[in-house]
Structures are given as structure tokens and as C-alpha cells.
């Protein structure tokens, strides 16, 4: 059994190394021998994955950003595809021109040919080296711990017993000390919205897990051009006591023309229990439709509490 402490991390390390090498090889091949052309970013696909810790009831989310580009091959074929992931993905917005290299035999296999994308392999390789060192160290430590556990024949020490007042030592009765069970997250659902012309931003869900607040937005773009709501240095949330917050992830919310996108943002600081509502705002909204290049604010967003 103790071998599992060593073999499982090493097996995971081998799988990660093989996957990273294959990704690097395919991408390098396209950059070196792919057919060059120029395309345009037509939309940004944003995938949000939610995680809930069953022990603490705290939630977190991760965001994957994949641009979709359109370009014409040497044979005149119009291709719409999602390039291999690169370091410039978070910097692209719909309408941006991009240099593309694609496979002549399969144009759907393509990569963004920009200096930033090539340099993106450097931090990736540095992170991979760090991961290798960490997993090897973890496997070594796991082997030592497993060996010590296997050689330890002493039975586990029973937990202490909290005796009541006046109860003599050695009595067989008593009550065990237990930790309080954490409360589940408080949730409010509804539709708190604001509109700016053809753009409508609606808060449809608020989750408050011990002051860690997440907001789920539904953003509808009824205009004839796509719209982008940047987060970094643009999004703010303010509670009724005047405390201000930013949010994660920092990736912008991009909505295609006539489309609706759902996104969840988590405030960067704990909200006090005395706060009862929020005002959320974007200082700038960007679009090729100049009528949408302004700001938008949603007021009266409630903060749910278990005491309510």
C-alpha cells in the first residue's frame, strides 16, 4: 500500500510531462511550418467552471478563455476555428486582426502567430519545471511518511473527554467536544437589472458563503455589434456602508451581437455581515456600436444572510 504514496504522484508527473510535450511539439510545428495568413477575432468563448468545497461550503470558480478566429486559406476556403491556446488569449477582443498559421492538410488546426504567443512557452516551461520538482518532492515525502506509518504499532490516542462539573476523574460518562457545523451558503435569486440602450445587465443570483460573495450576471447585447465589459480597473461593487470591492476572474465579459452570456464574479474581499445590499457598476463598456461605449450600474442587489 505504501507504494501508492510514491507511484501515484510519479504517474501523474509522467502524464503531465507527456501532455505538455505533445502540446509544445504540435504548436511548434504549426509556428515553424504552418501556412501564414491574417484573420480576425469573431468572438470570445468563455467557460466558467464552478467548484464547491463540501467541507467548508465555500465556492470558487475558474475561467477558460478561447478566441474564435476567421481566416481565408490559400485555396479560398473560409475557415472559422478556435486556435491552440496561447499567452495572448486574454488580450484579444472581437474585431482584432491576428496573424494565423494553419495546417495545409487541416486548416482547422491553427495557432495565433504573435510574439507574445511564442514567449508564452517560457512561463509554461518554468511552471512545468516547478511542478516536476514539487511532485518528486511530494512522492519522496509520501514514501517516508508511509514507511513511518507502517512501522508504527502504537494504537491511536483516543480523543479527550470533556467532563461535566463535579464529575470525578476516571468516570466513564462525559460529553465529547465537537466543532460547530458550518452553515451552508445563503443564496438569493431574482432579476436585478439595468439597461443602457440595447445592452442589459442582470444579476440573477447572489451567493454569500460567510462573507465570500459571488454574483452571477446575465448580459444581453441587443445591438448589431459585439460588446465587451472589462473587469480589471473597470468593475466595482459597493455595499451600503461605502466599502468597495473588485472581482475575480479578471477576464473581460464579451457578448456577441444579439447574444446573451452568463458569468459569475467573486468579490475580492470579505463582505461584513452588517452589509445588506450592493451596487455593481462598470465604468466603461466597449463596442464597435458607439452608442454602447458608456457605463452601466445595477443598484439594490440584496446580500442574503441566514438570519434573514
Amino acid at each position: 500500500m505504501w507504494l501508492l504514496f510514491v507511484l501515484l504522484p510519479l504517474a501523474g508527473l509522467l502524464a503531465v510531462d507527456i501532455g505538455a510535450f505533445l502540446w509544445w511539439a504540435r504548436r511548434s510545428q504549426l509556428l515553424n511550418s504552418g501556412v501564414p495568413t491574417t484573420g480576425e477575432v469573431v468572438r470570445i468563448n468563455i467557460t466558467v467552471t464552478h467548484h464547491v468545497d463540501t467541507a467548508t461550503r465555500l465556492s470558487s470558480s475558474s475561467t477558460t478563455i478561447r478566441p474564435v478566429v476567421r481566416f481565408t486559406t490559400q485555396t479560398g476556403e473560409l475557415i472559422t476555428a478556435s486556435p491552440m491556446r496561447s499567452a495572448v488569449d486574454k488580450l484579444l477582443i472581437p474585431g482584432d486582426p491576428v496573424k494565423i498559421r494553419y495546417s495545409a492538410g487541416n486548416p482547422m488546426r491553427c495557432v495565433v502567430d504573435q510574439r507574445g504567443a511564442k514567449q508564452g512557452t517560457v512561463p509554461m516551461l518554468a511552471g512545468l519545471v516547478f511542478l516536476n520538482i514539487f511532485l518528486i518532492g511530494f512522492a519522496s515525502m509520501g514514501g517516508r511518511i508511509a514507511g513511518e506509518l507502517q512501522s508504527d504499532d502504537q494504537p491511536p490516542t483516543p480523543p479527550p473527554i470533556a467532563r461535566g462539573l463535579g464529575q470525578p476523574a476516571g468516570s466513564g460518562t462525559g460529553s465529547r467536544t465537537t466543532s460547530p457545523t458550518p452553515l451552508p451558503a445563503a443564496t438569493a435569486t431574482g432579476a436585478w437589472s439595468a439597461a443602457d440602450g440595447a445592452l442589459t445587465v442582470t444579476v440573477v443570483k447572489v451567493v454569500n458563503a460567510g462573507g465570500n460573495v459571488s454574483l452571477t450576471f446575465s448580459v444581453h447585447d441587443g445591438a448589431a455589434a459585439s460588446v465587451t465589459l472589462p473587469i480589471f480597473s473597470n468593475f466595482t461593487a459597493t455595499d451600503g456602508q461605502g466599502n468597495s470591492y473588485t472581482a475575480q476572474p479578471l477576464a473581460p465579459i464579451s457578448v456577441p451581437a444579439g447574444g446573451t452570456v452568463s458569468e459569475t464574479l467573486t468579490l475580492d474581499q470579505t463582505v461584513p455581515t452588517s452589509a445588506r445590499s450592493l451596487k455593481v457598476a462598470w465604468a466603461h463598456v466597449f463596442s464597435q456600436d458607439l452608442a454602447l461605449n458608456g457605463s452601466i450600474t445595477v443598484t439594490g442587489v440584496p446580500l442574503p444572510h441566514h438570519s434573514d
Side-chain angles (χ1 to χ4, degrees):
M1 180 63 69
W2 65 271
L3 285 175
L4 293 178
F5 286 88
V6 179
L7 297 181
L8 286 181
L10 294 180
L13 174 62
L14 180 61
V16 170
D17 285 345
I18 292 176
F21 174 77
L22 293 177
W23 175 88
W24 176 82
R26 288 194 297 265
R27 187 166 174 275
S28 296
Q29 182 183 20
L30 282 177
L31 287 173
N32 294 329
S33 59
V35 180
T37 187
T38 301
E40 179 185 7
V41 179
V42 294
R43 66 177 183 273
I44 302 294
N45 289 339
I46 301 178
T47 303
V48 180
T49 304
H50 300 281
H51 310 275
V52 177
D53 190 323
T54 56
T56 63
R57 301 289 184 177
L58 296 180
S59 62
S60 61
S61 61
S62 59
T63 302
T64 301
I65 299 176
R66 295 295 300 275
V68 177
V69 301
R70 181 180 296 144
F71 59 91
T72 303
T73 66
Q74 289 181 332
T75 60
E77 182 181 4
L78 185 63
I79 299 295
T80 301
S82 182
M84 297 182 66
R85 295 178 63 180
S86 70
V88 299
D89 286 355
K90 293 184 179 181
L91 305 178
L92 298 175
I93 61 174
D96 281 350
V98 288
K99 295 180 180 179
I100 300 293
R101 284 187 178 269
Y102 65 90
S103 170
N106 181 11
M108 296 295 292
R109 292 185 59 243
C110 58
V111 65
V112 175
D113 185 9
Q114 291 187 4
R115 182 176 59 180
K118 294 180 180 179
Q119 292 175 344
T121 58
V122 175
M124 185 207 72
L125 292 176
L128 187 61
V129 170
F130 174 80
L131 181 62
N132 276 261
I133 295 174
F134 172 78
L135 288 178
I136 291 174
F138 180 81
S140 176
M141 181 179 65
R144 291 197 301 269
I145 293 175
E148 293 175 359
L149 291 176
Q150 190 175 19
S151 62
D152 187 4
D153 296 331
Q154 297 297 324
T157 303
I161 301 298
R163 298 184 177 87
L165 290 175
Q167 190 171 6
S171 173
T173 61
S175 60
R176 295 183 183 274
T177 57
T178 59
S179 300
T181 302
L183 291 174
T187 302
T189 57
W192 303 274
S193 62
D196 180 15
L199 175 67
T200 302
V201 176
T202 304
V203 179
V204 297
K205 184 178 181 181
V206 185
V207 178
N208 185 357
N212 298 298
V213 176
S214 296
L215 304 165
T216 300
F217 294 87
S218 176
V219 184
H220 175 69
D221 176 16
S226 62
V227 64
T228 299
L229 283 73
I231 306 301
F232 180 71
S233 296
N234 284 275
F235 174 86
T236 56
T238 307
D239 62 29
Q241 299 176 340
N243 302 310
S244 295
Y245 313 87
T246 56
Q248 295 286 347
L250 296 177
I253 301 176
S254 298
V255 189
T260 301
V261 170
S262 294
E263 178 67 273
T264 298
L265 300 179
T266 301
L267 301 189
D268 66 329
Q269 300 180 56
T270 301
V271 178
T273 56
S274 55
R276 294 293 168 173
S277 64
L278 287 174
K279 176 180 70 175
V280 295
W282 272 267
H284 298 92
V285 175
F286 300 106
S287 175
Q288 293 180 352
D289 186 341
L290 298 181
L292 298 182
N293 289 334
S295 61
I296 193 165
T297 302
V298 182
T299 60
V301 180
L303 280 171
H305 297 271
H306 283 289
S307 58
D308 295 343

